[in-house]
Amino acid sequence: MSQAASFDDMRDLYQEVIMARGRHPQHQLRLDPYDGAAKGDNPMCGDRVEVRIRMAGDTIAEAGFEARGCAISVASADLMADAITGRTPTEVRTLAERFRVMVHTGACPDCGPEMDPLRPLVGVHEFKSRLKCATLPWDAMLGALKESGHG
Amino acid sequence: MTMIRPAPLDVERIRAEFPILSETVHGKPLVFLDSAASSMKPTAVIDAMADTMRKQYANVHRGLHWMSERTTDAYESTRDAVARLMNAPSRDEIVFAKNSTEAINLLAHSYGSLMQPGQAVLITEMEHHANIVPWQMLRDRAGIELRIARITDAGELDWADYESKLADGRVALVAMTHMSNVLGTYTPAARIAAAAHAAGAKVMFDGSQAIVHRRVDVQALDADFYVFTGHKLYGPTGIGVLWGRMALLDAMPPFMGGGDMIGSVSFEKTTWARVPHKFEAGTPPIVEAIGLKRAIEWVEAVGYDAIAAHEAALTEHALARLADVKGLRVIGQAQDRGGVVSFTLDGAHAHDVATLLDRNGVAVRAGNHCAEPLMRRLGVDSTARASFGVYTTLGEIDVLADTLERVREFFA
């Protein structure tokens, strides 16, 4: 029995940047000191992420995460940390909502250039079972924001 | 590269009885290697259930009319089929539940209510959450102790640890898997039961996986309770079984209250129906029970000897093929194992592996397999798991292995 595998179309999901960030994330670190932290758990698959943020005035100065998970969830956490750094809680909540729309629908009519770094994850919308991998770090980050008193 | 050995049963004939196996996924033939989560259903089961709803259906145990009597007979005859399947001493010892999880919860609730503070329940590190959480809930409710017998690095019961945890005579019940859903390990059930009894404990086996692959004889095992679920045994969802010794079931209070489980009801006092009805409140899963009976007949017609031989050949082939995939590590090296193989692949998380396998039509499970403590014990976050059924072919295992080579290249 032969069933030749061709994964060419899988590069829509596993784009270069996702492979790279999944393998060598830049923000996988235990941030300390920090102003807010929260964990995200996906008991269905065993993914786990903890996100910590440090504030400077009214903006996020730094974000870091510790994750055990797949390439999608680690890359998503890492790109998220890039995207939210230097932004206010209000901006970050808007980003989170747009990200959610983008990965669920594959489109984001309201997205501006601030979403560009997150666009490599758009392919997730075709993989329903993987949506949670992409959104878990964002849910944890919103929890961390809340804990910091900026929720 | 491929070792083809003659299959001990006519797999192609069997596959023709499973309509779903001719479906395609992403344009590829379905290679279904997730039977340990739930098996596919043969036409015989599908037809038996549809025919019930088409031709002969009514509620059971209530109607004086022809349809109800006939449906009651069909429903009740499943108890005979289950008793025969497990070699239970009496059909009246067969209690229907929704699934193994509900059967274990029933036991934890009803048998558990007879336990005293200071007594213990003994489980193992390789239990499914279904055989952990109900006992934790009992522990927190009733003040009993929950003990955990260790496993070895190979994924077998650590016998010395098991015996030491029985030693003080305070274990009231050993509740253990008969076959691990993650490692494929068969536990030495007869020996486990003998040791439990010598220490004054009763023993329950979770046979959700085991009864699919091998003949189970509860009398030969000298078990006290045994649970399994229909949907892994080529039957429908929504029906599971708790078997228990009559004297034990008889002493247990009901689980849920309602219709069907009563003798007589007044606002002052209600008396219970006799076993097994005492444990079956409300309208039961009638169509599902009839489907389960047909599934049991189907499995018996194929024969456990043929099933066990076929799956042993599949497992051997899988272990040989997977050993050749670079960076692949099989989790669990039990001597006595069934058709479940968990593995990790260097450089690729199990979810990513499963997504790529799926793209080539290969369905495996990935994650913690409802066994988080076991994952922690094994030092892995998650694994991918290929599991086999009576319809699995050696060729499908080759597809798995060949595709895994491509997955490895993809993530290299």
Side-chain angles (χ1 to χ4, degrees), chain B residues 315-331:
Chain B
T315 306
E316 189 183 329
H317 186 58
L319 292 173
R321 284 298 318 266
L322 294 182
D324 287 341
V325 179
K326 209 173 143 200
L328 187 146
R329 184 163 71 99
V330 170
I331 307 294

Side-chain angles (χ1 to χ4, degrees), chain B residues 16-257:
Chain B
E17 296 191 53
F18 288 80
I20 204 167
L21 295 179
S22 54
E23 294 292 318
T24 56
V25 174
H26 307 303
K28 302 290 179 68
L30 170 64
V31 175
F32 187 73
L33 301 179
D34 196 19
S35 290
S38 197
S39 67
M40 296 310 191
K41 322 302 175 195
T43 305
V45 170
I46 298 167
D47 287 352
M49 296 176 74
D51 284 350
T52 298
M53 290 184 281
R54 278 208 182 89
K55 297 175 188 163
Q56 185 208 293
Y57 177 80
N59 210 333
V60 295
H61 304 143
R62 311 167 151 66
L64 296 174
H65 51 80
W66 187 88
M67 274 291 178
S68 178
E69 285 176 359
R70 290 289 301 269
T71 309
T72 301
D73 287 348
Y75 170 75
E76 281 296 325
S77 69
T78 303
R79 272 188 239 281
D80 299 290
V82 173
R84 187 180 65 233
L85 179 79
M86 312 171 79
N87 193 29
S90 163
R91 69 180 302 281
D92 293 333
E93 296 171 338
I94 305 301
V95 178
F96 293 132
K98 187 170 70 181
N99 44 37
S100 295
T101 299
E102 189 177 272
I104 295 172
N105 275 275
L106 190 167
L107 197 65
H109 186 279
S110 297
Y111 192 68
S113 74
L114 304 174
M115 292 181 198
Q116 305 295 325
Q119 289 191 301
V121 171
L122 175 55
I123 63 173
T124 76
E125 287 180 317
M126 60 176 158
E127 301 305 322
H128 189 283
H129 292 165
N131 198 31
I132 300 173
V133 182
W135 305 114
Q136 286 177 326
M137 291 165 72
L138 174 66
R139 175 195 65 193
D140 297 343
R141 188 167 67 233
I144 59 122
E145 184 191 347
L146 182 57
R147 295 183 184 175
I148 319 292
R150 286 204 284 265
I151 60 167
T152 65
D153 291 338
E156 295 171 324
L157 177 65
D158 180 332
W159 189 261
D161 191 62
Y162 173 61
E163 281 196 316
S164 78
K165 284 180 173 140
L166 285 170
D168 65 4
R170 285 166 52 189
V171 174
L173 181 73
V174 172
M176 197 184 298
T177 184
H178 192 188
M179 176 185 158
S180 165
N181 68 309
V182 177
L183 306 170
T185 308
Y186 277 100
T187 53
R191 208 173 144 219
I192 286 161
H197 292 152
K202 303 297 182 196
V203 61
M204 179 218 83
F205 291 107
D206 174 359
S208 305
Q209 301 293 339
I211 204 167
V212 180
H213 309 290
R214 283 188 192 174
R215 191 189 315 280
V216 168
D217 181 331
V218 292
Q219 297 190 65
L221 297 179
D222 201 19
D224 299 296
F225 299 100
Y226 198 99
V227 306
F228 73 92
T229 192
H231 72 93
K232 296 188 202 287
L233 189 63
Y234 310 106
T237 53
I239 179 95
V241 169
L242 165 66
W243 167 81
R245 292 180 187 275
M246 181 53 76
L248 298 172
L249 293 174
D250 205 39
M252 286 159 52
F255 176 39
M256 291 187 284

